[in-house]
Amino acid sequence: MGTALVNFVYTTMKKRLNNPGSRYWLPTLLKEVKAPDGGTLTPLRAAEWKLGPIGGEQGTLVGDTIAKAWWTAVADAFDDAQGREDESKDLPEDLDAFTPRRSEANPLPTLSFSSVEIHHLPNAAVGELTGLTEDSDGYRGSVRITLGAHHCGEWKDRDQIRIKSRYLLCQEVVAADDPDDDSTGPLPPTTTVARGLKGVSWPKQVVEGRGTLELTARDLAFDVQVALRVSGRGPGRTLAARVDSVSLAAGVTPTFCLDGKDLTIEDEWTDPKLIESWKRAALKAVNSPDAGRELRAAMEAALSDPGQRDEFSMVVTEQLAAALDGVLGPVSTGALPVEGSDPRPGPVEQYLFDRVRHAVNSPTSSFYPPAVIHSLDDPVLVPYRIPLLDLGPQSVEGIELSAVRLHDVTVHGLPNLLIPPEDARLTADGIDLTLRLGRITDRPDIPGTRGADGSPLRVPEPPLVLTGRFEADFPPSGEDEDDVLSGTFKASLTRPSLAAGLVFSGPDADALEISLRSLDLELTAEEVTVDVTTGDLFREVIRGLFNSTQVKTVLLHGMRERTAARKDEIAAGLSTAARGIIAAHLTQ
């Protein structure tokens, strides 16, 4: 089966994860994910993001804007100092010989965020499972998670990721000797001394602007590397998922946008008339390519934090377990079958197969064979009817019969059916198994059934029984018509079996198709006992006829042929039942 089985399970769940009507809808699940700090993803919080220096044209514009604003504050402080006679002697005559510049030592503005909140993260959808590979522990693959994916319900106006934060924008600026040329680049500070400038630092200062902001992020997508492995050994095994990494999706370029109305400036030291200038600088800094790149990296770091990946892993494992328990029924600790298949499949396939083997032997599971048999309505198997079995001409105790026919043959007791774990084996495209009839004792309840009194139906007592009418024709003598003996019969089949080869196809559980490669009745003539009821004098003769090895062999051959002839019809019924059971449990 290889990767086909894992893809089958993933594709089945992907539909539910992206369906707002499903209890497995991804936004609902992600709302419950814990963050490493004990919070949730609504919002995800981070103490600080150091976005670093802002380079390029935007960085130059931001730095120059800050330098010019700072110079206005310096000029105000210079004029104020000149008015104080005790300090004017420590000042140059004017500021004409100087120019405000970004510092040559630290020419780029730096940006950092604090008290970060990332809102609307759970509004996500999953993409295809790609790069699926098998290793000794299980499987590894990549799933793309797209944020801002849904536009309905509580997420109708939350289709963008929003980042709320405090920010700190810094630029080291200097009063430099004016080079009297057209240059605008960074320069070292002047060596000229100027004392008494209140509120500013001469000739160098790290200018800080701070406030709050709320920016939006679009086209955010992450590639999540996931591993699926079996944990533990023997009957105590469990299936676990592990998120190995979270990285920005290849080929997708998210954009971050800050609108001026969502930015505040805390004016602590400069003239109020400079607020708009500072605001423009902050907007340029946050909306710069360098800030965008660092914001993407910060988002990636927040989601790929080891503690956060552990939380994601736990939720994926829990939901996978919930889905398996819902469909197949829970497994008590240490109750998983351990007999393997030959050749032995991978650990994940073996685990999933063992979950199926446990389910078909659990009276509480919807896949319990008595329940499945009862659920089939096309064809109906409870009871299973064969309109006619023609046994042909027969001879007994010297009496010749030209024809023996069985009419309205009804098979009773099919719900007494087991598939012991040791009688099932994984194959490349399905399962080979042996169905054991008449082996269940104690008459357990059959899940999903109701009798006339409203209580569950119970598994019938063994053995399997066939009932119906018979006709035995004597050949005509002369011109006489056939003399026909008729009556009823009852055949008891001791511990019969059905060997079946099941083949599975379809991309997911909603399109699952089961076909029967084979369906063979395993029963010997010695394991069949027949009784007849007839008012004719030949009752004992007819009884002897039906209990002869010859007739029982013909009877079994006819049953085998009839069963094999209906295997496609039975397979179609099994497909419909399996799809219905899985869909019902994944919807609950």
Side-chain angles (χ1 to χ4, degrees), residues 72 100 103 115 259 326 384 450-451:
T72 299
S103 166
S115 302
D259 192 286
Y384 180 52
R450 288 289 181 270

Side-chain angles (χ1 to χ4, degrees), residues 170 428 460 483:
C170 298
D483 191 6

